[in-house]
Amino acid sequence: MKLRTRIAVGLLPLLLLFLALGGWAALANRQLARELSGELETTYRALQANESLRLAATQMSVAAAAAPRDVLAARRNYDAQRAALQRLLMDELQRAAGTPRVKFLERVDGKFLELADVIEASLNSSGGGSGGALAALRREETALYALLRSIDELAAADRLSAQATAARAQHLAELTTRIVLGGLAVLCVVALVLAWRLTGLLARPIEALTAAAAAVGEGQLDREVPAASRDELGQLGRAFNAMAAKLRAYRDATLAKVLRTQRTMEATLTSTPDPVFVVARDGAHEVRNPAAEALARSADFAAGFPPALAEPLQRVLATGDHYLPTDYRQAVTLTVAREVRHFLPRILAIGDKLTEFKGAAVILQDVTKFRLLDDAKTNLVGTVSHELKTPLTSLRMAVYLLLEQNVGALAPRQRDLLETARDDTDRLLRILDDLLDLTRLESGTAALSKRPKRVAELLAEMAREAQPHFITGGQRLDVQCDPGLGDVSVDAERIRHVFLNLLTNAAKYAPAGSTVTLYAAPAPLGFVRFGVCDEGPGIPAESAARVFDRFYRVPGTTAHGAGLGLAIAREIVVAHGGSIACQSELGRGSDFHFLLPG
């Protein structure tokens, strides 16, 4: 049986009692109203009839009293009043048939006949003396008084009947009131009993369901709800039990998956040769693989993470941004088992909404071999460049001497070949100078000679020096400097290489008639942003991140160069404590900019 049907059946007795009580009260009130209406109408009509009888009797007497003056007129008035009184009596006798009022009407009728006989006798003897007239008048008054007294008795009987009717109506009203109040009390008791039963019918399953839901919320998935009924509450209980069963199955499957994942993670961490630390937000070590355990026992970790790792770790924990350096110069040097090792740190921010864990994973990639190879490569490039520079310089001097024709005249063909050899030797020397400069910057042996320099003055000098390149290329150079900028501490010769490299590149690639902008503007944290913005063909997105690599050339470019200028510019900017970047869009031009501390 459905819950709605059960509730309806439970409330049916209350509804039946209510209908019965209401129906009885309606019938009782209707009966009372009907009886009162009939009695009141009868009483009112009887009172009117009594007054009419009294008036007719009086008029009869008055008509008889006028007989000495005019017998015929008195006779006519008397006959009319008598007929009226007789009709009233006949009507009242007919209405009162079968009621106690008949005997009073019959007495009135007798007294009426007596009065009529007296008046008839008086009218018939109206020609007698005064003594006979006085006796007739006395008899007539006596008969009239008797008739009026019988009418008063009839009125008194009618009043008693009305009072009895009113008393009976009051009794019936009080009885009806008592029965209705008693019925209402019974209805209240029945309603309370039914409400208690229906509340129990609804509350017990809901309380059981609430307790089971609270238990499931606390992780007790084995709790079930009794669901014996076939109504909606039983269906809800069975659905809840099915849900709990699915949650148990999901918990078991998830637990098995978590265990497998944990074992896999532990096996992976154990087999990982690089140290891995998982750190909570407060800096506590949550997980360490064997390599990290060995490293944590070293003297470098006696007071926690060394400063080279602690500072970026705190930034990652505070901001949630990964720390992923790519330069070997950012490697951390640590001593492991009396052996110096180089590690490139990778610090990843971790956030798990389910477990509310927030922290970071510190992965120390062992780059000792790569660092040694990079140093060896740098040293080799420097050594080779230095060794090649001396004979190349001698060869260049010999070519210049031959071109001056100090040792003899040259044929035109010989001169062309020597000029080509001169240009190539000049280009090779520039490349070797760039390689040597880059090697010194990467190794840190090239010390910077910083001096304060006005930003506006620096831009003016760079624009003046690069202006011939733009005149040759047909572009217009526009200089924009924020008036609020002051001094910047730079190595003027080194930073000159950065500006000229960016400006000459813009002159190479910007179309004729376009505008190249050299600008300086304030940047956050006290830095100054310098940049060169052109309207050239732009750089593809996949090449924009590599233009600062050594020997890299954007595919499809036709300009000459070894691809070292931007790499040297980056090293110079980094040596000044800044950074350099490129923003470009195909067909919209490029913006090469770098930041320097103010």
Side-chain angles (χ1 to χ4, degrees), residues 49 309 404 597:
L309 294 175
E404 290 176 0

Side-chain angles (χ1 to χ4, degrees), residues 485 519-523 527-531 583 591-596:
L485 295 176
Y519 66 89
F527 282 80
V528 179
R529 173 169 172 161
F530 297 92
Q583 294 177 348
D591 180 10
F592 284 84
H593 56 272
F594 58 94
L595 301 178
L596 293 180

Side-chain angles (χ1 to χ4, degrees), residues 454-464 479-482 485 499 518-520 530-531:
R454 297 290 298 177
V455 173
E457 182 182 347
L458 178 62
L459 291 184
E461 292 178 1
M462 296 301 104
R464 186 167 50 253
V479 180
Q480 297 179 1
C481 180
D482 190 284
L485 295 176
F499 277 105
L518 173 64
Y519 66 89
F530 297 92

Side-chain angles (χ1 to χ4, degrees), residues 13-58:
L14 182 64
L15 178 62
L16 293 176
L17 286 174
F18 180 78
L19 291 176
L21 179 62
W24 183 88
L27 290 175
N29 288 331
R30 185 177 180 183
Q31 181 67 24
L32 180 60
R34 185 182 299 170
E35 290 183 3
L36 285 176
S37 177
E39 292 291 339
L40 289 174
E41 184 178 356
T42 302
T43 302
Y44 178 73
R45 191 167 50 247
L47 292 175
Q48 282 186 330
N50 293 340
E51 292 297 325
S52 299
L53 288 173
R54 182 184 298 275
L55 180 61
T58 303

